[in-house]
PDB file of all heavy atoms in Angstrom:
ATOM      1  N   GLY M 669     -23.810 -94.890  42.575  1.00 95.00           N
ATOM      2  CA  GLY M 669     -24.195 -95.530  41.393  1.00 95.00           C
ATOM      3  C   GLY M 669     -24.199 -94.602  40.234  1.00 95.00           C
ATOM      4  O   GLY M 669     -24.315 -93.407  40.335  1.00 95.00           O
ATOM      5  N   ILE M 670     -24.088 -95.179  38.996  1.00 96.00           N
ATOM      6  CA  ILE M 670     -24.089 -94.509  37.734  1.00 96.00           C
ATOM      7  C   ILE M 670     -24.827 -95.315  36.635  1.00 96.00           C
ATOM      8  O   ILE M 670     -24.501 -96.589  36.615  1.00 96.00           O
ATOM      9  CB  ILE M 670     -22.749 -94.043  37.332  1.00 96.00           C
ATOM     10  CG1 ILE M 670     -22.785 -93.102  36.119  1.00 96.00           C
ATOM     11  CG2 ILE M 670     -21.848 -95.138  37.122  1.00 96.00           C
ATOM     12  CD1 ILE M 670     -21.505 -92.382  35.792  1.00 96.00           C
ATOM     13  N   GLN M 671     -25.707 -94.753  36.016  1.00 97.00           N
ATOM     14  CA  GLN M 671     -26.429 -95.535  34.808  1.00 97.00           C
ATOM     15  C   GLN M 671     -26.343 -94.704  33.551  1.00 97.00           C
ATOM     16  O   GLN M 671     -27.058 -93.661  33.584  1.00 97.00           O
ATOM     17  CB  GLN M 671     -27.839 -95.909  35.266  1.00 97.00           C
ATOM     18  CG  GLN M 671     -28.490 -96.734  34.247  1.00 97.00           C
ATOM     19  CD  GLN M 671     -29.884 -97.306  34.763  1.00 97.00           C
ATOM     20  OE1 GLN M 671     -30.516 -96.724  35.551  1.00 97.00           O
ATOM     21  NE2 GLN M 671     -30.289 -98.368  34.154  1.00 97.00           N
ATOM     22  N   PHE M 672     -25.542 -95.207  32.504  1.00 97.00           N
ATOM     23  CA  PHE M 672     -25.564 -94.406  31.289  1.00 97.00           C
ATOM     24  C   PHE M 672     -26.787 -94.857  30.459  1.00 97.00           C
ATOM     25  O   PHE M 672     -27.031 -96.027  30.355  1.00 97.00           O
ATOM     26  CB  PHE M 672     -24.266 -94.689  30.559  1.00 97.00           C
ATOM     27  CG  PHE M 672     -23.076 -94.106  31.161  1.00 97.00           C
ATOM     28  CD1 PHE M 672     -22.215 -94.711  32.118  1.00 97.00           C
ATOM     29  CD2 PHE M 672     -22.761 -92.682  30.884  1.00 97.00           C
ATOM     30  CE1 PHE M 672     -21.127 -94.164  32.593  1.00 97.00           C
ATOM     31  CE2 PHE M 672     -21.667 -92.088  31.394  1.00 97.00           C
ATOM     32  CZ  PHE M 672     -20.871 -92.815  32.386  1.00 97.00           C
ATOM     33  N   ILE M 673     -27.482 -93.899  29.927  1.00 97.00           N
ATOM     34  CA  ILE M 673     -28.686 -94.206  29.233  1.00 97.00           C
ATOM     35  C   ILE M 673     -28.501 -95.021  27.983  1.00 97.00           C
ATOM     36  O   ILE M 673     -29.076 -96.126  27.868  1.00 97.00           O
ATOM     37  CB  ILE M 673     -29.506 -92.842  28.795  1.00 97.00           C
ATOM     38  CG1 ILE M 673     -29.632 -91.901  29.964  1.00 97.00           C
ATOM     39  CG2 ILE M 673     -30.842 -93.192  28.150  1.00 97.00           C
ATOM     40  CD1 ILE M 673     -30.345 -92.408  31.053  1.00 97.00           C
ATOM     41  N   ALA M 674     -27.602 -94.693  27.171  1.00 96.00           N
ATOM     42  CA  ALA M 674     -27.399 -95.410  25.876  1.00 96.00           C
ATOM     43  C   ALA M 674     -26.788 -96.830  26.209  1.00 96.00           C
ATOM     44  O   ALA M 674     -27.298 -97.850  25.598  1.00 96.00           O
ATOM     45  CB  ALA M 674     -26.388 -94.772  25.022  1.00 96.00           C
ATOM     46  N   ARG M 675     -25.880 -96.972  27.082  1.00 96.00           N
ATOM     47  CA  ARG M 675     -25.210 -98.216  27.612  1.00 96.00           C
ATOM     48  C   ARG M 675     -26.300 -99.128  28.138  1.00 96.00           C
ATOM     49  O   ARG M 675     -26.276-100.369  27.777  1.00 96.00           O
ATOM     50  CB  ARG M 675     -24.056 -97.991  28.442  1.00 96.00           C
ATOM     51  CG  ARG M 675     -23.352 -99.290  28.766  1.00 96.00           C
ATOM     52  CD  ARG M 675     -22.127 -99.063  29.731  1.00 96.00           C
ATOM     53  NE  ARG M 675     -21.068 -98.444  28.886  1.00 96.00           N
ATOM     54  CZ  ARG M 675     -20.279 -99.024  28.005  1.00 96.00           C
ATOM     55  NH1 ARG M 675     -20.240-100.382  27.884  1.00 96.00           N
ATOM     56  NH2 ARG M 675     -19.272 -98.444  27.422  1.00 96.00           N
ATOM     57  N   SER M 676     -27.112 -98.554  28.914  1.00 97.00           N
ATOM     58  CA  SER M 676     -28.105 -99.430  29.545  1.00 97.00           C
ATOM     59  C   SER M 676     -29.082-100.047  28.630  1.00 97.00           C
ATOM     60  O   SER M 676     -29.566-101.188  28.716  1.00 97.00           O
ATOM     61  CB  SER M 676     -28.952 -98.563  30.561  1.00 97.00           C
ATOM     62  OG  SER M 676     -28.086 -98.233  31.685  1.00 97.00           O
ATOM     63  N   MET M 677     -29.405 -99.257  27.540  1.00 97.00           N
ATOM     64  CA  MET M 677     -30.404 -99.695  26.539  1.00 97.00           C
ATOM     65  C   MET M 677     -29.745-100.551  25.468  1.00 97.00           C
ATOM     66  O   MET M 677     -30.414-101.587  24.998  1.00 97.00           O
ATOM     67  CB  MET M 677     -31.118 -98.552  25.820  1.00 97.00           C
ATOM     68  CG  MET M 677     -32.022 -97.918  26.925  1.00 97.00           C
ATOM     69  SD  MET M 677     -33.257 -98.744  27.666  1.00 97.00           S
ATOM     70  CE  MET M 677     -34.335 -99.268  26.317  1.00 97.00           C
ATOM     71  N   PHE M 678     -28.603-100.185  24.957  1.00 97.00           N
ATOM     72  CA  PHE M 678     -27.979-100.945  23.862  1.00 97.00           C
ATOM     73  C   PHE M 678     -26.799-101.908  24.240  1.00 97.00           C
ATOM     74  O   PHE M 678     -26.400-102.678  23.430  1.00 97.00           O
ATOM     75  CB  PHE M 678     -27.423 -99.927  22.977  1.00 97.00           C
ATOM     76  CG  PHE M 678     -28.491 -99.103  22.170  1.00 97.00           C
ATOM     77  CD1 PHE M 678     -28.878 -97.954  22.630  1.00 97.00           C
ATOM     78  CD2 PHE M 678     -29.058 -99.697  21.093  1.00 97.00           C
ATOM     79  CE1 PHE M 678     -29.921 -97.142  22.001  1.00 97.00           C
ATOM     80  CE2 PHE M 678     -30.087 -98.876  20.416  1.00 97.00           C
ATOM     81  CZ  PHE M 678     -30.451 -97.680  20.930  1.00 97.00           C
ATOM     82  N   GLY M 679     -26.388-101.761  25.547  1.00 96.00           N
ATOM     83  CA  GLY M 679     -25.307-102.648  25.980  1.00 96.00           C
ATOM     84  C   GLY M 679     -25.597-103.605  27.130  1.00 96.00           C
ATOM     85  O   GLY M 679     -24.610-104.176  27.605  1.00 96.00           O
ATOM     86  N   SER M 680     -26.800-103.798  27.509  1.00 95.00           N
ATOM     87  CA  SER M 680     -27.125-104.588  28.588  1.00 95.00           C
ATOM     88  C   SER M 680     -27.080-106.070  28.189  1.00 95.00           C
ATOM     89  O   SER M 680     -27.080-106.467  27.003  1.00 95.00           O
ATOM     90  CB  SER M 680     -28.685-104.356  29.041  1.00 95.00           C
ATOM     91  OG  SER M 680     -29.566-104.670  27.976  1.00 95.00           O
ATOM     92  N   ARG M 681     -26.948-106.981  29.134  1.00 94.00           N
ATOM     93  CA  ARG M 681     -26.848-108.433  28.857  1.00 94.00           C
ATOM     94  C   ARG M 681     -27.728-109.127  29.897  1.00 94.00           C
ATOM     95  O   ARG M 681     -27.661-108.847  31.103  1.00 94.00           O
ATOM     96  CB  ARG M 681     -25.320-108.842  29.110  1.00 94.00           C
ATOM     97  CG  ARG M 681     -24.324-108.403  28.151  1.00 94.00           C
ATOM     98  CD  ARG M 681     -24.629-108.936  26.726  1.00 94.00           C
ATOM     99  NE  ARG M 681     -23.741-108.393  25.834  1.00 94.00           N
ATOM    100  CZ  ARG M 681     -23.781-107.267  25.025  1.00 94.00           C
ATOM    101  NH1 ARG M 681     -24.895-106.583  25.175  1.00 94.00           N
ATOM    102  NH2 ARG M 681     -22.965-106.919  24.116  1.00 94.00           N
ATOM    103  N   PRO M 682     -28.720-109.898  29.454  1.00 95.00           N
ATOM    104  CA  PRO M 682     -29.031-110.107  28.051  1.00 95.00           C
ATOM    105  C   PRO M 682     -29.546-108.891  27.333  1.00 95.00           C
ATOM    106  O   PRO M 682     -29.937-107.914  27.966  1.00 95.00           O
ATOM    107  CB  PRO M 682     -30.078-111.255  28.086  1.00 95.00           C
ATOM    108  CG  PRO M 682     -30.719-111.084  29.354  1.00 95.00           C
ATOM    109  CD  PRO M 682     -29.550-110.560  30.358  1.00 95.00           C
ATOM    110  N   GLU M 683     -29.461-108.860  26.025  1.00 96.00           N
ATOM    111  CA  GLU M 683     -29.921-107.714  25.251  1.00 96.00           C
ATOM    112  C   GLU M 683     -31.371-107.286  25.391  1.00 96.00           C
ATOM    113  O   GLU M 683     -32.205-108.170  25.534  1.00 96.00           O
ATOM    114  CB  GLU M 683     -29.633-107.798  23.786  1.00 96.00           C
ATOM    115  CG  GLU M 683     -28.134-108.142  23.415  1.00 96.00           C
ATOM    116  CD  GLU M 683     -27.830-108.388  21.957  1.00 96.00           C
ATOM    117  OE1 GLU M 683     -28.757-108.688  21.300  1.00 96.00           O
ATOM    118  OE2 GLU M 683     -26.666-108.201  21.589  1.00 96.00           O
ATOM    119  N   VAL M 684     -31.654-106.065  25.376  1.00 97.00           N
ATOM    120  CA  VAL M 684     -32.988-105.560  25.250  1.00 97.00           C
ATOM    121  C   VAL M 684     -33.431-105.982  23.872  1.00 97.00           C
ATOM    122  O   VAL M 684     -32.771-105.777  22.918  1.00 97.00           O
ATOM    123  CB  VAL M 684     -32.988-103.960  25.376  1.00 97.00           C
ATOM    124  CG1 VAL M 684     -34.380-103.456  25.149  1.00 97.00           C
ATOM    125  CG2 VAL M 684     -32.440-103.574  26.738  1.00 97.00           C
TER     126      VAL M 684
END
Side-chain angles (χ1 to χ4, degrees):
I670 185 169
Q671 185 172 27
F672 288 98
I673 307 304
R675 181 175 293 278
S676 293
M677 295 302 295
F678 292 93
S680 64
R681 294 293 182 269
E683 294 179 344
V684 175

